Amino acid sequence: MKNLFKALANFQQEVPVIHKATQGYGYSYADLPKIFEVINPLLKKHGLGFTQLINSKDGENYLVTCLFHAESGESIESTTLIPRVELKGMNDYQSFGSGCTYYRRYSISSILGLVTDKDTKILVSTTKPVITCPNISTRSLMDL
């Protein structure tokens, strides 16, 4: 894992703060295209890549974010439950898509150690209570 962690540490020394330029309902955030615009050239420079897959198990949907070192094949991954929520004004598919995008942003930011502008509270208008994400696990693909 030393190749992956060395490349990640070098990436983190170079990646700038990513500014939250997209406006939500009373909050701002860094959207995926902005995050990718900043990170992709630096990931390439340091021989890093990532993939984000949606997996299902026991009726639940999970986002799996895998960060890998291209040359050595070393990798780490994070698995995050995507909770089911109903968002006001959206059908089930739109709510799910919104949740996937939300967790993709935070998962890639977390695994890379990205810093965005200071966090602000996000208010979500729902018809059902929002479920918090209880279980987040990380493991190496080498352990599979």
Side-chain angles (χ1 to χ4, degrees):
M1 298 293 274
K2 75 177 190 176
N3 296 303
L4 172 63
F5 292 133
K6 180 178 180 181
L8 180 57
N10 290 333
F11 167 88
Q12 290 171 339
Q13 293 301 310
E14 246 182 282
V15 71
V17 171
I18 301 174
H19 297 286
K20 296 180 178 183
T22 303
Q23 293 300 310
Y25 295 98
Y27 61 94
S28 62
Y29 61 96
D31 65 10
L32 278 176
K34 178 62 176 175
I35 292 171
F36 292 164
E37 177 186 319
V38 172
I39 68 172
N40 282 343
L42 292 173
L43 288 171
K44 181 179 179 180
K45 177 181 178 181
H46 295 288
L48 296 169
F50 72 93
T51 187
Q52 293 183 300
L53 306 170
I54 298 171
N55 288 337
S56 297
K57 183 178 179 181
D58 299 327
E60 298 288 354
N61 293 305
Y62 296 86
L63 176 68
V64 180
T65 299
C66 177
L67 176 66
F68 58 88
H69 185 254
E71 189 175 320
S72 69
E74 297 169 352
S75 64
I76 54 173
E77 74 175 36
S78 172
T79 301
T80 306
L81 174 67
I82 303 170
R84 289 189 185 133
V85 296
E86 291 182 11
L87 299 174
K88 186 177 180 180
M90 292 186 183
N91 65 38
D92 289 346
Y93 302 109
Q94 292 168 322
S95 292
F96 179 71
S98 179
C100 290
T101 302
Y102 178 88
Y103 282 102
R104 286 186 68 202
R105 275 197 324 267
Y106 282 95
S107 183
I108 195 65
S109 295
S110 176
I111 206 164
L112 291 174
L114 301 178
V115 177
T116 57
D117 293 334
K118 65 180 180 181
D119 283 330
T120 58
K121 290 185 179 182
I122 296 176
L123 303 175
V124 178
S125 176
T126 62
T127 56
K128 290 186 178 177
V130 175
I131 303 168
T132 58
C133 182
N135 297 323
I136 298 175
S137 64
T138 58
R139 63 183 174 159
S140 169
L141 289 179
M142 304 296 278
D143 296 334
L144 296 177

